[in-house]
Amino acid sequence: MGRNRRLLLALTTAGLLILPWVGVSGITLPVALVPLLAVSESYPAGRSGVRGMAGWSALTFGLWALVTTWWIWYAAPIGAIMSVINSVVLCGGVVVAYHWLSKRAPRSLAYTFLVSAWIAAELLYMNGQLSFPWLTLGNGFANDIPLVQWYDTTGVFGGSLWVMVMNVLFYEAYRNRSRAVAATAAAVIAVPVIISLTVYWTYKESGRAVTVTAVQPNIEPYRERYILSQQEQNGIMLSLASQAPQEARFVIFPETSVHETIPENDLESDRTVKAFRNFIDERYPSTVFVVGASTRYFYMPGDKVSETARYTPGRDIYYDNFNTALALSAGRPAGIYHKAKLVVGAEATPYHKYLKNVTLFNIDLGGVSGQLGYGPERDVFTATDGTRAGPAICWEGVFGHYYGGFVRKGADIMLIISNDAWWGDTQGHRQLFRLARLRAVETRRAIARSANTGISGFIDQRGRVIQKVGWDVRTALTADIVTNDRITFYTRYGDYVARISVLVFGLCALYYIAYRIRKNNLLTQ
């Protein structure tokens, strides 16, 4: 196989991987890796083949990350660069390792390794210090919600497993010109799709209808946010909130919509909290206002100081900054939830213990940069009618198992507050909204979403969009969403597909060692 053909095949794989993340269906994913596997087949065993596959893999997965996540550059150039590097290292590393193994071990072992190692790498990417699980293969079906209703059992890692198995089957069918294998691959696609479509069209929401208003203030974050005083911004938000009906149980505002830091030690004396309290007391005594805010907690003498705490030497004070969701309602103390899944660079320094003084990773988004504090647990906010809402903040809607923790704590609806404006009118905010639809399916919890500049809206328990408003619109939306108190299999057991894959990956390594020992012993007899 010549260089030009290998280039064409590598670019084909990159293109098939890119399409789902730029708004096209994920139906390209079941065959996306087939061209790259053909490139691997074309190389002989040896170092030259490994070097060749390393190059083509770097090109393929680098392009995938670059085209689908370039928008990170608007807010954090280092984040965009690290997205490409991580994709090349993890995804490319798995494919190169598969290539090496396929020349030295039974093909069945190589295929098993490829599938399990890929999902293990995705799990590492989701939970590592440089976490950015945006390109988890299962996320590629965010445009195809009717096809993946079974995510309530497997989560997105089940989607990744589905994709990888189909790629192996379709490649084997192509490699051996086997109709039987092709028929098996078609069945692996058809059966889950038929089941999913049946669930989608027959699923019934059986809980109570809850009225929620989502405010989209549309305040530009790089300039307007600092030109307008916090009081002026509060006026905009409360004016929009006044459109909520009296029966609204929650009114929600975007992440860090209050950017002036609120001291948690004296929360009720803060002028913004007072303004919201007065508005609620006068006009919405039966409504909970969930407000995204930047807050600060000063540690008192005798308090256990967190590892993320900052220190002011002159005053001998330790404190933590937080990205916070506040729940304000008439006659009740404020509820406080601290965001725990922090964005690397903007909110968290990777390997903070060792790199806390490296400013390269400190990106100012909203007036607070560097390592933020984080909450140890998920919390839920309770309305006056008993409805319990989980307040996920922006990025937390990407992590299925973490997000499910709100449901495990009793949430019967979900709120997502976000500020996607840092990325401009790019694919970023559209992709993040689509990922919320997957969370709705996984947990079977309806979602109300408030984003600063869009997309705000409502998603039902099937992942169907009830109502939404797009980019650059100042408005407030109101809809009824339905509660649910049932716990899905995935919510209860989390990313078990990925954990099993890690186990299988380890068994593959042990099997290969035993296989080589046995083969060497046979050769020396």
Side-chain angles (χ1 to χ4, degrees):
M1 183 182 294
R3 180 182 180 85
N4 288 343
R5 187 178 178 192
R6 286 172 177 155
L7 174 62
L8 177 61
L9 291 172
L11 293 177
T12 300
T13 286
L16 294 173
L17 289 171
I18 288 167
L19 288 174
W21 274 265
V22 296
V24 182
S25 171
I27 60 174
T28 61
L29 293 177
V31 295
L33 295 178
V34 170
L36 194 61
L37 295 178
V39 173
S40 172
E41 189 79 24
S42 72
Y43 278 111
R47 293 181 180 178
S48 62
V50 171
R51 286 195 298 267
M53 278 307 298
W56 295 121
S57 295
L59 173 66
T60 299
F61 299 117
L63 278 175
W64 180 29
L66 180 64
V67 174
T68 55
T69 63
W70 64 270
W71 42 265
I72 302 172
W73 185 275
Y74 279 93
I78 186 63
I81 294 169
M82 291 307 301
S83 172
V84 174
I85 291 174
N86 279 337
S87 181
V88 168
V89 171
L90 289 177
C91 300
V94 168
V95 170
V96 171
Y98 155 79
H99 168 79
W100 181 88
L101 188 63
S102 68
K103 309 298 181 182
R104 292 167 174 80
R107 189 166 292 272
S108 58
L109 176 60
Y111 286 150
T112 304
F113 169 86
L114 175 63
V115 173
S116 61
W118 184 286
I119 298 173
E122 289 186 338
L123 183 64
L124 175 63
Y125 208 180
M126 180 170 287
N127 296 305
Q129 290 282 320
L130 291 171
S131 178
F132 188 70
W134 209 268
L135 298 181
T136 299
L137 286 176
N139 287 340
F141 295 102
N143 289 313
D144 307 285
I145 294 300
L147 306 185
V148 289
Q149 292 294 302
W150 42 272
Y151 275 18
D152 63 358
T153 301
T154 69
V156 294
F157 284 116
S160 296
L161 177 63
W162 191 40
V163 167
M164 293 302 296
V165 169
M166 285 190 291
N167 271 279
V168 166
L169 290 173
F170 277 119
Y171 178 65
E172 266 298 293
Y174 162 77
R175 176 174 170 269
N176 294 312
R177 306 297 191 270
S178 171
R179 292 183 179 179
V181 176
T184 301
V188 170
I189 290 179
V191 171
V193 165
I194 292 170
I195 292 172
S196 183
L197 289 172
T198 302
V199 170
Y200 183 79
W201 292 115
T202 60
Y203 185 88
K204 300 295 182 183
E205 296 181 320
S206 57
R208 296 177 292 105
V210 177
T211 303
V212 181
T213 296
V215 172
Q216 183 166 299
N218 199 43
I219 297 173
E220 193 277 326
Y222 288 106
R223 294 178 301 277
E224 186 179 13
R225 187 174 195 177
Y226 301 103
I227 294 173
L228 297 175
S229 69
Q230 184 63 63
Q231 287 67 42
E232 289 174 299
Q233 294 178 47
N234 293 345
I236 291 170
M237 290 189 289
L238 292 177
S239 175
L240 293 169
S242 66
Q243 299 177 29
Q246 286 296 310
E247 65 269 19
R249 296 285 73 95
F250 292 94
V251 176
I252 63 175
F253 302 81
E255 174 190 26
T256 60
S257 49
V258 179
H259 67 86
E260 282 189 355
T261 303
I262 296 174
E264 292 186 14
N265 307 72
D266 195 16
L267 188 82
E268 296 299 335
S269 67
D270 181 81
R271 58 184 177 178
T272 293
V273 173
K274 286 182 177 179
F276 273 81
R277 285 281 197 198
N278 291 337
F279 184 83
I280 293 167
D281 290 344
E282 291 175 6
R283 303 185 61 172
Y284 291 96
S286 300
T287 305
V288 177
F289 279 42
V290 178
V291 185
S294 297
T295 65
R296 178 172 295 164
Y297 179 80
F298 292 95
Y299 290 94
M300 299 292 102
D303 285 349
K304 182 179 179 181
V305 177
S306 75
E307 62 180 15
T308 59
R310 307 177 187 207
Y311 179 63
T312 305
R315 300 173 62 190
D316 193 29
I317 291 175
Y318 286 93
Y319 66 92
D320 259 316
N321 291 324
F322 295 100
N323 186 337
T324 302
L326 296 175
L328 304 175
S329 57
R332 294 195 291 181
I336 298 177
Y337 167 69
H338 293 144
K339 183 179 181 181
K341 286 294 185 180
L342 303 175
V343 179
V344 174
E347 299 172 321
T349 301
Y351 305 101
H352 177 254
K353 180 178 179 181
Y354 308 103
L355 299 178
K356 59 184 176 183
N357 296 319
V358 179
T359 59
L360 172 67
F361 295 101
N362 294 349
I363 301 152
D364 188 353
L365 294 184
V368 177
S369 63
Q371 179 67 50
L372 299 188
Y374 54 88
E377 295 183 6
R378 270 73 86 203
D379 295 306
V380 296
F381 298 149
T382 305
T384 54
D385 68 346
T387 302
R388 293 165 64 83
I393 302 177
C394 187
W395 184 232
E396 293 178 331
V398 180
F399 299 82
H401 179 64
Y402 181 88
Y403 182 92
F406 292 105
V407 176
R408 292 190 293 275
K409 288 294 290 287
D412 43 30
I413 63 170
M414 286 297 299
L415 313 175
I416 297 179
I417 61 173
S418 186
N419 186 0
D420 313 335
W422 308 108
W423 310 320
D425 189 10
T426 64
Q427 278 292 328
H429 74 281
R430 299 182 185 92
Q431 291 172 5
L432 192 54
F433 182 82
R434 291 195 293 262
L435 292 178
R437 301 178 68 189
L438 296 179
R439 301 291 85 80
V441 174
E442 288 173 345
T443 60
R444 296 301 181 190
R445 292 299 185 272
I447 296 170
R449 188 176 194 271
S450 168
N452 178 29
T453 53
I455 301 171
S456 299
F458 302 92
I459 302 168
D460 72 10
Q461 295 170 23
R462 292 182 295 170
R464 184 174 60 95
V465 177
I466 303 169
Q467 184 181 0
K468 70 176 181 178
V469 62
W471 183 261
D472 197 27
V473 178
R474 179 170 289 171
T475 190
L477 298 177
T478 297
D480 289 341
I481 57 177
V482 180
T483 63
N484 187 9
D485 60 3
R486 295 189 296 273
I487 304 294
T488 67
F489 189 90
Y490 171 73
T491 300
R492 188 177 302 279
Y493 296 104
D495 295 325
Y496 67 93
V497 170
R499 296 194 296 271
I500 293 172
S501 295
V502 172
L503 176 61
V504 173
F505 168 70
L507 292 175
C508 285
L510 293 175
Y511 183 89
Y512 175 73
I513 292 170
Y515 168 79
R516 295 300 297 183
I517 291 173
R518 182 172 180 273
K519 185 174 182 179
N520 289 338
N521 287 339
L522 289 174
L523 290 174
T524 56
Q525 288 179 359

